[in-house]
Each structure stands twice: as structure tokens, then as C-alpha cells.
Amino acid sequence: MRAMYKAMERKGVKTLENSQLHNGPFHKAAVTDVQFGPMRLQQDQLQVLLVFAKEDSQSNGFCWACEKAGFTCNIARTPETALESFVDKHHDIIIIDHRHSRYFDAEALCRSIRATKPSENAVIIAVVRRQSDRDEASVMPLIAAGFTRRYVENSNIMACYNELIQLEFGEVLAQFKLRACNSLFTTLERSQEAIEITSEDHLIEYVNPAFESTMGYQKDELVGKELTEVPVNEKKSDFLDTLNSCIKTGKEWEGIYYAKNKNGDNIQQNVKIIPVFGHRGKIRHYVSICRPCNDNNKAEKQRERVQAECQTDLQTCRHKDRRKGSLDVRSTTSRGSDGSSQRRHSSMARIHSMTIEAPITKVINIINAAQENSPMPVAEALDRVLEILRTTELYSPQLGTKDEDPHTNDLVGGLMTDGSRRLSGNEYILSAKQIHPVPGFISTFSLTDIPPRIAQAMENEEKWEFNIFELETATHKRPLVYLGLKMFARFGVCSFLNCSEATLRSWLHVIESNYHAGNSYHNSTHSADVLHATAYFLSKERVKQSLDQIDEVAALIAATVHDVDHPGRTNSFLCNAGSELAILYNDTAVLESHHAALAFQLTTRDDKCNIFKNMERNEYRTLRQAIIDMVLATEMTKHFEHVNKFANSINKPLAALEESEGSIGEDDSVKNVLTTPENRILIKRMLIKCADISNPCRALEQCIEWAGRISEEYFAQTDDEKRQGLPVVMPVFDRNTCSIPKSQMGFVDYFITDMFDAWDAFADLPNVMQHLDNNFKYWKGLDERQLRSLRPPPE
Ligand code: AMP
Ligand code: ZN
């Protein structure tokens, strides 16, 4: 035999090492790369232990085969040396001579080897005698002793070699991969995230120590049990249903999950459940990775710090002294934008473009994913974001409870709640309201022959400073018909609707007649005022760029009808009083639903005033939809939703585009933002909302008049509530004690400033904003003077 290996005798073990210089056809590298799932492993040269009491042709056959295969080969002559050698070297293959029981008990040796930990991954072969077919013995005793399989004696070097090669690519390779799993188990055992593995049938197969400590259970109490058996969560079966339907398709599930630990405490966790595909391409396991939402004090502190930092940032962005943390539109618009807000926006845009799941689920999933790679403070801040997304009325800022001015509190409570939250159970029914039919006689003036005083009062109707109260006086409280005729003519409404001026006039008459002249605020002058503001906004360049004529017509009609038959009481009042309307509309958007529904009833019940009668059906449906949408948008419980959606979908993308000014295709991009159907809806909603509550932005004299009128209407409601023993919705609006300046500052702070900031950033309204500023200063000055006059004079 060529001296290709160096022999070494040590405690009866002979080591035969293959030469690295071997360059025959069977040469192999000492180290082989093995791919195991996503892991790349390196397999060392295989080590073989031969246990043969005596050298013979069979042991030589294996020695030679080892050499040929490039494996290291040790030979042991006794069971003791074999065991010692194995414990020392952890051979991959052990071949034990099982033919001669007189030398040693091969099965006993195999059992002893199997009793050692490293034998877990060793392949042990028994060399057995060749037997006649008749005497073929069972392999069971061998298997029971721990042998992997048997080798029927055959000293042919090629037979030995083939056996070794089959082992190398069969059992040995499999065992080598299994050995690598130890590192994976170690990872699981040491992971700080709670991990649970279940079978396809939701049988718990594994939980790691972090899972045990989070849930307060011992491994043994969980492993082997069905998920539904363990009271980790009361709603587990519901959850499993959801989970099943969600991941049947092989997708991951990720979300927030409330589990109960052994003590019965609720634990809020971010959970990721991953199906693991296995045999026959089926899901064979589910791996759940859970991270408690607030896991320790340190994290809590970090979170508080991040929050504090965020708040500081917000406060420094704000320029109005009393504005609340509802929205910072300015910082997202062209005037105050920064690159990061745009970047944030573009990722938001990507989020919105996904359509598979509910958007909120996608948002939560994306935040969860972002948390994975984020530093602790960011991850904790995102936890807070998730909490808000899950639990809060998303668009309504929360009022600071204690130090909030009671005027603001009452206004917010009065305007932003409806029956579902304020119902008193008082079943008082408001008397059914008479609807005013089309008057038999309508003065037949036309635009060409309106009385000079009225014509004069409407002269500057294209300006913001137009005075609606002069028109109210000149028309003896019928401003809507006159202003309506003039404005609808300016926008070509009759020709769009294909109706006569006479029909339009009748319609305006009917609508105006159904406003309550007795209301101090919600009368037809308010409607005419909103119509004026609407027309003013429609003539702004950006708005014209965005809307089609059908949108303009819808906006003008919506403004005209938006408060028709308003009873001079708020939604809350109607719900508390159990009014017919509240019952009809289920305490939800009661007045706005009524205004829209009644407007169409009044219009379509009589051809004489039906301005839609000549419209093509589809166009009518589109127009009707747009009008209803705008009237419903005036409902104040949805105020922040509309404003925030506008800021996010219109202001932010426009700001981003303006920032990249001059880039190719910018005009097209702006046009795209402005004219998508969804964005046109948002623009129209914002337009009518701003028109509806634009009175704080009117010239000072008018602003004061409106403030007086709305306050009077609120006072009358409070009087009524007290008289009828109903809950007082806005107690500060008591005519004996109310501070109108304070109420106006509260209204502006809470509802107006942010909204007009966003609208101004879009439509460019410097004069409107100037009035708003002046008026606010006026109320502030008045409030301070009132306070001074109430203070006792210095001694
Ligand atoms: P609408 O009933 O459609 O006019 O909705 C606008 C809401 O804002 C109404 O509930 C008004 O009472 C309220 N509002 C309008 N202007 C003021 C103001 N200056 N002060 C307080 N509340 C106002
Ligand atoms: Zn209104």
C-alpha cells in the first residue's frame, strides 16, 4: 500500500489520514459547502471509526475505501478504545464488526455509544455475516441496539467504497444538517421574543423560555396541548378562524393580539404568525413571534422622552397662541414644508396605493415591519402610533380636559357629538314641521328688472368684502332668491341644467321659504352668505383648475340648500328631545340628512321648480350624489376627518410637487393631484365646509354680527332645554353669563384656524386670512378689556 497516510497508534486506535496530495479521481476537498435552507454550512472531512478486533480483509476493505473517499479513518480493537475514541473525535460513521461474538458484544457496544450525547448524529453500521436466504435474520435487534443499518460482509474495496459514499450522501448528510439545527434551537431558546410553534392542527409543539415567562406557563403545561385548550386567550377560537382564513393562502398574519397570561392579566402583543410549509407542500407548522407592546420600564421612559420631544417640536411649529394639537397643516404646505414631511407623504402614498387588505391593517402592518429594524426609541414611539390608530377616533383631537376653556368644551361637545353619545332618554317629540309648498304667486322679476336698491346691494358680490346684511335689509330678508339668481347666472347654471330662469326663480323661492326666518342664525341669510362664499372660492384659480362645471353647479346648489328647514337647534338637542327627525335618521347626522333629503323633495315634487327636470339621467345622478355629499360634509362630527383628509391628500402632495419645482412634468403631476375623482370630492367638501363656517373670516363688522346671531340661537336653545327639562348641551351659552369673545376665540382656535390654513394653502386667500387674524385680535382685546373691567380697581 502506498504510504499516503501517516499511521499513528494511540491507545489502540490507529489513525489513517488521507494525503492532501492525493490527485486520483476520488480526490475531494477537506471541507465541503452544504446548503441547508437559508444556511450555508461547511462540512469537514468525514471521520470514520472502524471497530474490528482483528485486522482482516473486511476491515482492510473499509480502510482502503476510506482512503479512496478521502475520509479520515480510525481503527479501534476493543469496545473500550472504541468508546474513548468516539467520545474524543465524534466520528460521523462508526462501523462495528458484528460477525464474531467471541471478541466483543457489538450490540452492547452500540448501546454504550448511543448512550453518549454526541452519538445523536452518528451513523452506526453493523457488519454482519452473509447468510443463506433461509437464515435471513431480522434487523430489529440491531435497530433496537441503535444501529442505523447493517452491512452484509463484503470485503471488495468497491463495495466498501460504495457503502461509504451512500452513507456520505444519505444518512451522514442528513445528520449533518440536523446537527446545524442545534444553533437554531439555541437561537429560539435565547430569543427575547416569545415564540410558539404549533402544528398544522394547532397543537403546541414548542414554546421558548421567553414565551414561558411572558405567559407565566411552564413548557410542559403548553406543549402537546391544543391551542384552544390553553386559556392563553379567551377568544382563541375566533382568532383561529380569522387566522385560518387569513393565512390559508400562505400569507403571514401580523397584528395586535390580546392574550391572557396565567394570572389572567391581559397582555397586548404585536404578533406575527408565519405558516411554515413542509411535507407535500402543505403548511406543517405555524410559528408565532410575539412582542409585548410595553415590555419594560426602560422602554416606557424612552417612549415618554420621545413623546416629549415630539410635543416640543409640535409646539415650536405652532404660531397661534391658543391653537390645539389637531393638525399642523402649515408645516405640510408650500410655506412650511420640509423634506421629511414630503418623504413621509410619499411613503404614505405608497401605503394608500395598496389594495389587498383594509388600509388600516396595511398601515399597522407596515408600522410593525418598520419597528423591526428601528432603534428602541423609534420602535416605542411607533407603539404609541399603533395605539392611537387602534383605539382613537382618528380625526378628532382630544380636548385637554382641565385647563380647556369651558366655552370651547361646550362648543365642541355641542357640535361634535350626536345622539349616540348624548341621548338622554327623554322621549319628547318635536312637533312635525310644515313644509312650505311652491308659493302660488312669485314675483316675476328677472335679473334684468330687479329693484335698484337690491341691484346696488349686490354690486360687489364678486368680492369677499361683500356685505350680506345690506342685501338682507334691501330684500326684506329674501336675499337668497336675488343673490341666487345673480350667482347662478354668473356660473351658467341654467344652461348647464337646461332649465329656464323662471324655474330657477321658483326653486330659489321654495328653498328660501323653507328656511326659518325666525332663527337668528340659521335663516336664509346664512344660506345666502354660504352661497356667496362658495361662489367666491369657486372663482379661485386653483379651485377652477380642479373642478368641472358639474362640480361648480353641485357646490352652488349644495350651498343654497345646505341648512334648509334648520330648526335653530343642534343635532344633540334633537336627539335629546327624541324629535321625529332624530328618530327618522337614527340620531346620526340628523339635520344634514334632513337638509339634503328635503332639498330633493322640494325640488322634484313640482315641475314648476324642478331645476333637474331636463337633465339626462346619469348626469342627474352624478350631480345629486355630489350635492348630497357636500351637504353631509357640513356635519361637524366629521369636521376633523374632512380637514385631515384634505391636508393629507391635497396639501401634502402639492407641497411636495412645489418643492420639486421646475421638474419635468410637474404641471401634469399637479393636475393629477387636483383632478382625481377622489380628490375632487375632498376639495368640494372642504370648499363647502369653509364657506359654511367662514363667518369668523368676514370683515369685522359682519363677523361680530354673525357671532351675535349664533350666540343668540344657542342662548335660545339653552333657554328651551331648561324650560323643557332637557339636558343642557352647551351650558356656557347662557344669556346671563356667556362671554361671546371667549366663545369666538374657542371656536376659531378649535375649528377655524387649521382648516383655513389648509384651505388658504390650497386656494390662496390672503384677504380672508387677514380678516381672520384681525377678528381674533378683536375678540382677544375685548376679552381682556372685559376681564379688566371685572377686576376690582387697585386700592
Ligand atoms: P351649519 O349648521 O351647517 O351652519 O354648521 C356649522 C356649525 O358651526 C353650526 O352648528 C354653527 O352653530 C357653528 N358655528 C358657525 N359659526 C359659528 C361661530 N361664529 N361661533 C360658534 N359656532 C359657530
Ligand atoms: Zn350652515
Side-chain angles (χ1 to χ4, degrees), residues 731-786:
V732 291
F733 285 96
D734 181 314
R735 62 178 72 254
N736 303 313
T737 52
C738 182
S739 156
I740 293 182
K742 275 198 168 49
S743 74
Q744 289 308 298
M745 286 193 290
F747 185 68
V748 169
D749 268 344
Y750 203 78
F751 293 107
I752 301 293
T753 312
D754 286 336
M755 184 176 73
F756 270 90
D757 270 351
W759 186 234
D760 169 43
F762 176 76
D764 192 19
L765 307 157
N767 53 336
V768 176
M769 299 308 283
Q770 189 59 56
H771 286 303
L772 177 60
D773 255 17
N774 291 351
N775 297 340
F776 190 86
K777 285 190 191 117
Y778 168 80
W779 294 121
K780 202 161 185 233
L782 204 59
D783 181 46
E784 283 163 1
R785 282 201 294 284
Q786 275 181 0

Side-chain angles (χ1 to χ4, degrees), residues 515 521-522 526-527 530 559 562-563 566 595 634 691-693:
Y515 275 93
Y521 179 88
H522 285 104
H526 166 61
S527 152
V530 176
H562 89 279
D563 272 334
H566 197 294
H595 303 317
T634 63
D692 190 24
I693 45 180

Side-chain angles (χ1 to χ4, degrees), residues 464-477:
W464 183 250
E465 284 69 26
F466 164 75
N467 189 337
I468 192 72
F469 299 113
E470 280 177 15
L471 185 65
E472 183 190 55
T473 311
T475 58
H476 305 289
K477 300 197 175 171

Side-chain angles (χ1 to χ4, degrees), residues 326-333 341-350 352 363 389 394-395 640-657 673 678-679 682-683 686 754 758-759 761-762:
S326 55
L327 168 83
D328 193 4
V329 181
R330 212 33 109 166
S331 70
T332 68
T333 58
S341 74
Q342 287 152 26
R343 272 194 302 283
R344 272 198 302 281
H345 171 71
S346 63
S347 62
M348 286 288 288
R350 280 199 301 280
H352 285 296
V363 169
L389 286 178
L394 284 184
Y395 291 100
F640 292 100
E641 181 177 334
H642 297 315
V643 176
N644 278 291
K645 282 183 176 168
F646 181 84
N648 286 328
S649 301
I650 314 283
N651 287 142
K652 285 183 190 177
L654 288 182
L657 287 170
V673 173
E678 308 81 55
N679 283 357
L682 298 183
I683 293 167
M686 187 74 166
D754 286 336
W759 186 234
F762 176 76

Side-chain angles (χ1 to χ4, degrees), residues 579-599:
S579 72
E580 271 181 14
L581 284 180
I583 288 169
L584 180 62
Y585 293 110
N586 302 312
D587 293 343
T588 307
V590 174
L591 280 169
E592 294 69 23
S593 303
H594 176 58
H595 303 317
L598 180 66

